[in-house]
């Protein structure tokens, strides 16, 4: 027993006649009682009680062993041989092994951590030891009170093993047997096998020997896949019917027969879709497995497919197939809904996947909240202490060339944009993180409406010229028409760094273009200053927005005019060089991004007296400030708003 070590403490008589050993004979007797530990593959099994009886002389060997195992259960073995006792393995003999009430918990250390088995086993085997270290054994085993459990992050799933039995016959050149597994209310499986394992010690497999086996039955699955793939699948169900046969040899097996999956379904929470009426038929012949009659329904559509998998020995050496569909619900989330019609072919090996074809999106609906004024850090910013995400390679090599076609109902409604898109893009990649593309997506019709700005998208195109998918070239023109005047914005550059400029027919100053965009007429007073400044911040590029705000301030005769968003709104409300003030309406610290926007206008009433008025553009709260210079370094300020108070400041200038 090369993989087993047994050690024990014992007491009792052990007698050996040294004189007989010198003469080439052995006369021995032992009556040993003790306790021990069996070590198998580095794992220990406690044996609280061990009894060994042994007697050997010219008349042969006779002996027995009795074990009481931890957790209950007993194991008993008997051996008798007519061969004269020698210091060697007997040439022949008879043996009997029985086990009663053996706890399955004994094998728990060899099971995966999430798997647990319960039950008690009764087993019996009888056989012969033959010359040449050959054996002939026949035995059977049964399980009572059996239960299998799988523990996962989402809970536990179990199945009662109503009846389980196993018979073995090990003789000459094969090990054969039958197995029956009946699951309470979930079906039944029955298997037969004939393995090329010669009945000799030590045990080894005959690689070229005949291999035979079969597995038939029907099992109903309810929640097992949910436990295996927590978070990916929920409410899985289905019925599996199998009639499989194994033939060939150990090193060149052949799988034949059929496996059917019917009435299956599951819920995919990540995509928000429910798969129903899943049908699948696998047919095996020679070294080929065919995937036939595959069909799955989701929403108003379905997917169908077929495939062929080539085997060599026990491994996959190649596969090819196709996947087709019609209006298959791929996503159904509040912000994203997609129907897809794929026509794809695939082929490959265990090391590489090749994918070709096209995917049409007859319906694509994208919904989202209003745009938020978010300023992201530049690429050279390093967040100290932030967990880094290590780049992971895809498990197999990829060769993907797929054409993506936008159908008749591709609608985008996000950030004030309400548009219908059309076009097609050719995608190509060997790494999902680096997708290149060629093609064009265009706006069939669309509008941009947000907080008083109402523009019609008269031209909108995204060009893909072989670069990364997330970096198309933009060509967008959005206009507002007022009589003979058309005013709007022209967007160019890339999606990652768009360049937005004001545009008008006929030509006019940028301030007047912005006035036509914001409220349909030239700028004539300060009553709509907040809308003007907000439009400048939202529509044009950052540098041009600052210039426009300066032009508006000069046109209206103000000392300061600015619009602040998020953390910037917690500053001095337009007063040059003033320190930060307590977070009130000026900070606009509310739940959503746009409500953190504050417009502030200020005016020097005298060279030493400054007055400012701040208003949240969305909450409507007001803040009044009055600041007076007592001396070159001393200033006093009073404010009235959601909070009121007086502050005294001392100013230090560094040169």
């Amino acid at each position: 027993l090369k993989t087993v070590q047994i050690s024990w403490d014992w007491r009792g008589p052990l007698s050996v006649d040294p004189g007989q050993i010198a003469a080439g004979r052995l006369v021995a007797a032992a009556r040993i009682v003790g306790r021990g530990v069996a070590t198998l593959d580095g794992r220990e099994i406690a044996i609280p009680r061990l009894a060994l009886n042994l007697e050997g002389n010219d008349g042969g060997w006779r002996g027995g062993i009795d074990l009481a195992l931890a957790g209950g259960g007993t194991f008993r073995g008997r051996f008798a041989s007519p061969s004269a006792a020698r210091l060697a393995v007997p040439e022949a003999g008879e043996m009997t092994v029985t086990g009663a009430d053996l706890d399955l918990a004994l094998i728990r250390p060899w099971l995966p951590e999430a798997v647990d088995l319960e039950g008690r086993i009764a087993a019996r085997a009888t056989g012969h030891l033959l010359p040449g270290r050959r054996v002939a054994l026949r035995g059977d085993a049964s399980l009572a009170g059996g239960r299998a459990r799988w523990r996962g992050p989402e809970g536990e799933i179990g199945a009662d093993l109503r009846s389980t039995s196993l018979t073995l016959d090990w003789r000459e050149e094969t090990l054969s047997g039958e197995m029956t597994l009946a699951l309470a209310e979930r079906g039944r499986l029955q298997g037969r096998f004939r393995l090329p394992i010669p009945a000799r010690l030590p045990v080894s497999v005959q690689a070229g020997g005949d291999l035979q086996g079969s597995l038939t039955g029907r099992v109903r699955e309810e929640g097992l896949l949910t436990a295996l793939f927590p978070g990916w699948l929920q409410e899985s169900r289905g019925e599996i019917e199998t009639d499989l046969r194994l033939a060939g040899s150990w090193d060149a097996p052949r799988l034949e027969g059929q496996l059917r999956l019917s009435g299956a379904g599951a819920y995919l929470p990540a995509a928000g879709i429910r798969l129903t009426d899943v049908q699948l038929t696998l047919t095996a012949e020679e070294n080929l497995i065919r995937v036939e009659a595959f069909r799955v329904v989701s929403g108003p559509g379905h997917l169908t497919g077929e495939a062929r998998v080539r085997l060599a020995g026990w491994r996959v050496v190649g596969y090819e197939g196709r996947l087709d569909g019609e209006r298959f619900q791929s996503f159904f989330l509040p912000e994203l809904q997609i129907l897809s019609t794929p026509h794809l072919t695939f082929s490959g090996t265990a090391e590489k996947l090749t994918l070709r074809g096209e995917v049409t999106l007859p319906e694509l609906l994208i919904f989202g909240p209003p745009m938020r004024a978010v300023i992201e850090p530049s690429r050279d910013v390093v967040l100290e202490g932030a967990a880094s995400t290590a780049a992971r390679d895809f498990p197999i090599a990829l060769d993907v060339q797929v054409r993506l076609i936008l159908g008749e109902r591709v609608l985008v409604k996000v950030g004030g944009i309400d548009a219908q898109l059309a076009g097609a893009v050719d995608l190509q990649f060997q790494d999902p993180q680096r997708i290149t593309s060629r093609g064009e997506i265009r706006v069939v019709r669309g509008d941009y409406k947000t907080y008083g700005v109402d523009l019609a998208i008269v031209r909108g195109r995204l060009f893909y010229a072989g670069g990364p998918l997330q970096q198309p070239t933009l060509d967008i023109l959005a206009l507002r028409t007022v009589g003979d005047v058309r005013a709007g914005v022209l967007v160019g550059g890339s999606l990652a760094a768009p360049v937005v400029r004001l545009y008008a027919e006929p030509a006019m100053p940028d301030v007047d273009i912005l006035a036509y965009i914001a409220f349909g007429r030239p700028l004539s007073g300060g009553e709509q200053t907040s809308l003007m400044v907000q439009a400048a911040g939202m529509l044009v590029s950052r540098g041009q927005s600052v210039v426009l705000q300066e032009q508006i301030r000069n046109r209206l005769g103000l000392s300061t005019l600015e619009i602040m968003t998020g953390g910037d709104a917690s500053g001095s409300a337009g007063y040059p060089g003033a320190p930060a003030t307590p977070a009130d309406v000026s900070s606009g610290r509310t739940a959503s991004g746009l409500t953190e926007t504050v417009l502030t206008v200020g005016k020097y009433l005298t060279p030493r007296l400054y007055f400012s008025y701040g208003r949240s553009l969305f909450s409507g709260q007001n803040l009044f400030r009055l600041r007076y210079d007592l001396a070159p370094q001393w200033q006093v300020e009073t404010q009235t708003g959601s909070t009121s108070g007086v502050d005294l400041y001392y100013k230090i200038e560094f040169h």
Side-chain angles (χ1 to χ4, degrees):
L1 302 177
K2 296 181 179 180
T3 62
V4 180
Q5 295 179 351
I6 300 176
S7 60
W8 71 88
D9 301 323
W10 57 276
R11 57 183 174 81
L14 172 63
S15 63
V16 177
D17 187 342
Q20 297 292 335
I21 295 177
R25 303 165 59 196
L26 178 62
V27 177
R31 302 288 186 272
I32 297 174
V33 177
R35 59 185 180 183
V37 174
T39 304
L40 176 61
D41 295 333
R43 296 178 173 89
E44 295 183 348
I45 300 176
I47 304 173
R49 183 178 181 277
L50 180 150
L52 175 65
N53 298 317
L54 181 65
E55 183 178 351
N57 50 43
D58 288 343
W61 285 101
R62 289 174 298 279
I65 185 171
D66 294 275
L67 304 178
L69 302 178
T74 60
F75 180 87
R76 176 177 295 180
R78 297 291 182 266
F79 176 76
S81 172
S83 303
R86 298 288 186 272
L87 287 176
V89 177
E91 286 292 320
E94 297 182 356
M95 65 189 78
T96 301
V97 177
T98 59
D101 201 31
L102 301 175
D103 192 352
L104 272 179
L106 289 172
I107 66 173
R108 188 171 297 160
W110 287 269
L111 298 176
E113 185 176 353
V115 176
D116 192 11
L117 295 177
E118 297 178 1
R120 299 280 176 169
I121 296 177
R124 177 180 175 82
T126 61
H128 300 275
L129 179 63
L130 304 174
R133 295 194 176 185
R134 295 180 296 117
V135 297
L137 290 176
R138 182 186 296 272
D140 59 76
S142 61
L143 175 65
R147 181 174 176 78
R149 292 186 296 180
W150 178 284
R151 297 183 300 274
E154 301 299 320
E156 180 180 288
I157 183 173
D160 293 329
L161 308 179
R162 187 173 60 191
S163 64
T164 304
S165 63
L166 173 67
T167 62
L168 295 174
D169 190 2
W170 191 25
R171 62 184 64 246
E172 296 180 354
E173 300 300 317
T174 60
L175 172 63
S176 59
E178 296 184 4
M179 180 192 68
T180 301
L181 174 64
L183 303 176
E185 301 179 357
R186 294 196 179 185
R188 178 185 180 91
L189 289 174
Q190 186 169 2
R192 294 182 174 86
F193 58 89
R194 185 180 179 90
L195 308 179
I197 302 178
R200 289 190 293 270
L201 298 177
V203 179
S204 62
V205 178
Q206 188 176 2
D210 291 338
L211 182 66
Q212 297 180 19
S214 66
L215 181 64
T216 59
R218 178 176 298 190
V219 176
R220 186 169 63 255
E221 189 276 316
E222 294 180 356
L224 177 60
L225 293 180
T226 299
L228 293 175
F229 303 98
W232 291 83
L233 293 176
Q234 294 180 5
E235 305 172 23
S236 63
R237 66 188 186 280
E239 187 170 275
I240 301 174
E241 184 178 356
T242 177
D243 183 10
L244 297 174
R245 298 175 299 279
L246 194 62
S249 62
W250 183 269
D251 55 356
R254 296 197 316 270
L255 185 64
E256 301 173 348
Q258 199 171 72
L259 183 145
R260 296 185 184 91
L261 173 65
S262 60
Y267 176 67
L268 278 64
I273 61 174
R274 187 175 298 277
L275 306 180
T276 61
D277 195 25
V278 181
Q279 310 287 337
L280 174 66
T281 300
L282 298 179
T283 301
E285 54 185 40
E286 294 293 332
N287 293 320
L288 185 67
I289 297 178
R290 298 180 183 273
V291 179
E292 303 172 344
F294 168 70
R295 178 183 172 87
V296 56
V297 174
S298 175
H302 64 274
L303 287 178
T304 60
E306 60 181 30
R308 295 188 301 171
V309 182
R310 299 186 302 276
L311 304 176
W314 299 97
R315 61 188 184 91
V316 175
V317 296
Y319 52 86
E320 61 270 342
R322 64 179 300 108
L323 183 67
D324 298 288
E326 185 68 30
R327 299 179 64 81
F328 180 80
Q329 186 82 63
S330 304
F331 286 89
F332 192 77
L333 301 171
E335 69 279 7
L336 178 64
Q337 299 176 21
I338 298 179
L339 299 184
S340 59
T341 299
H343 298 287
L344 301 171
T345 61
F346 58 89
S347 61
T349 64
E351 294 78 26
K352 183 178 181 180
L353 168 65
T354 300
L355 184 65
R356 298 288 187 271
E358 65 180 33
V359 178
T360 301
L361 304 180
E363 291 189 19
L364 169 61
L365 307 178
I366 301 177
F367 303 93
M371 290 178 58
R372 304 196 330 176
V374 176
I375 301 177
E376 297 183 352
S378 61
R379 296 181 180 179
D380 60 345
V381 171
V382 178
L383 299 179
E384 187 67 25
S388 60
T389 303
R392 294 182 297 178
D393 295 333
F394 205 71
I396 62 174
L398 297 174
D399 180 12
V400 178
Q401 297 181 26
V402 174
R403 183 173 181 80
L404 183 65
I405 304 173
L406 302 186
E408 297 180 354
R409 194 165 181 263
V410 177
L411 306 176
V412 176
K413 191 171 184 179
V414 57
I417 297 176
D418 188 353
Q420 178 183 354
L421 306 180
V425 179
D426 294 321
L427 306 179
Q428 181 176 354
F429 62 90
Q430 286 77 40
D431 184 342
Q433 302 298 325
R434 292 185 289 273
I435 302 177
T436 60
S437 54
R438 292 183 179 274
E440 174 185 313
I441 295 177
R442 62 186 182 276
V443 178
V444 177
R445 58 177 179 82
D447 300 289
Y448 177 73
K449 298 179 181 180
T450 178
Y451 304 107
V453 177
D454 187 352
L455 302 177
I457 302 176
V458 298
R459 184 178 76 238
R461 291 181 293 180
L462 281 72
F463 293 102
Y464 296 89
L469 178 64
Q470 66 273 22
Q471 296 183 13
T473 300
L474 305 179
D475 179 20
I476 300 173
L477 178 62
L479 299 174
R480 179 175 183 175
T481 303
V482 181
D484 295 333
V485 176
R486 301 206 308 167
V489 293
L490 183 64
V491 184
S494 66
L495 193 62
V499 178
V500 185
R501 299 186 181 279
L502 295 177
Y503 173 88
E505 296 178 2
M508 63 183 68
D510 288 346
V511 173
D512 291 329
I513 297 176
L514 195 61
Y516 270 103
I517 293 174
F519 41 85
R521 58 184 174 81
L523 182 64
S524 59
E527 70 277 5
Q528 292 175 311
T529 303
S530 63
L531 185 59
M532 285 283 293
V533 178
Q534 184 182 354
M538 290 190 300
L539 292 177
V540 299
S541 301
R542 183 174 181 86
Q544 191 177 1
S545 173
V546 173
V547 174
L548 280 172
Q549 291 181 26
E550 181 71 17
Q551 293 176 2
I552 296 170
R553 188 190 70 184
N554 294 336
R555 179 78 66 91
L556 299 177
L558 299 173
S559 300
T560 59
L561 184 151
E562 62 182 348
I563 188 168
M564 294 176 290
T565 303
D568 295 337
S570 62
S572 60
Y575 187 85
T581 56
D584 46 27
V585 65
S586 68
S587 66
R589 308 238 173 154
T590 55
S592 69
L594 277 174
T595 57
E596 300 174 356
T597 303
V598 175
L599 171 73
T600 302
V601 295
K603 180 75 173 177
Y604 279 97
L605 303 179
T606 71
R608 301 175 65 179
L609 181 62
Y610 173 82
F611 173 78
S612 70
Y613 165 68
R615 179 177 176 83
S616 172
L617 298 183
F618 303 101
S619 67
Q621 293 179 303
N622 301 310
L623 177 67
F624 300 90
R625 279 198 179 97
L626 189 66
R627 183 174 296 217
Y628 183 73
D629 292 343
L630 299 174
Q633 282 77 33
W634 288 96
Q635 299 167 338
V636 63
E637 179 187 279
T638 179
Q639 64 179 15
T640 300
S642 58
T643 60
S644 301
V646 176
D647 296 286
L648 182 65
Y649 295 105
Y650 182 80
K651 182 172 60 176
I652 301 176
E653 295 184 358
F654 296 91
H655 298 282

